[in-house]
Amino acid sequence: MKLNIEIDCTPAEARAFLGLPDVTPLNDHLVAEMQKRMDANMAAMQPDELMKTWTSFGVQAQDQFRLLMQAAVTGAAKP
C-alpha cells in the first residue's frame, strides 16, 4: 500500500500548524544590526585606512604581513 499526502501551504502556515515560533521579527532585527555594523566598519576596508593602520604598527608588522602573504601564496601553490 502506498499513500501520498500533498500539503499546499506557506512556510509561515507550516510553522504555525506545527506550533513553532515566528522568528521573523528576530531575524529582521538581526539583519538590521548586521547591516549597521557593516556600514560602521566600511571605512576600515578602504585601502588608505588599511595602509594607515599597517604603517602605524611599524616595520615589524609590515614584515609579518609580508611573511603571512608569502606563506599563503606558497601554500596555495602546493597541490
Side-chain angles (χ1 to χ4, degrees):
M1 174 197 252
K2 186 173 183 179
L3 179 65
N4 289 329
I5 299 174
E6 186 174 324
I7 300 173
D8 185 21
C9 67
T10 65
E13 292 170 337
R15 280 193 301 271
F17 177 75
L18 295 172
L20 298 173
D22 182 15
V23 294
T24 304
L26 179 62
N27 187 50
D28 293 342
H29 176 73
L30 179 64
V31 169
E33 183 65 28
M34 288 174 61
Q35 287 175 336
K36 282 195 302 188
R37 289 183 185 196
M38 286 176 63
D39 290 341
N41 290 320
M42 287 301 266
M45 300 303 285
Q46 301 297 326
D48 56 337
E49 292 296 323
L50 286 172
M51 290 307 295
K52 286 179 189 175
T53 304
W54 292 342
T55 56
S56 67
F57 291 124
V59 176
Q60 184 180 5
Q62 293 174 7
D63 288 340
Q64 289 293 331
F65 181 74
R66 183 183 54 76
L67 291 173
L68 175 70
M69 291 295 114
Q70 185 176 4
V73 169
T74 305
K78 293 180 181 176

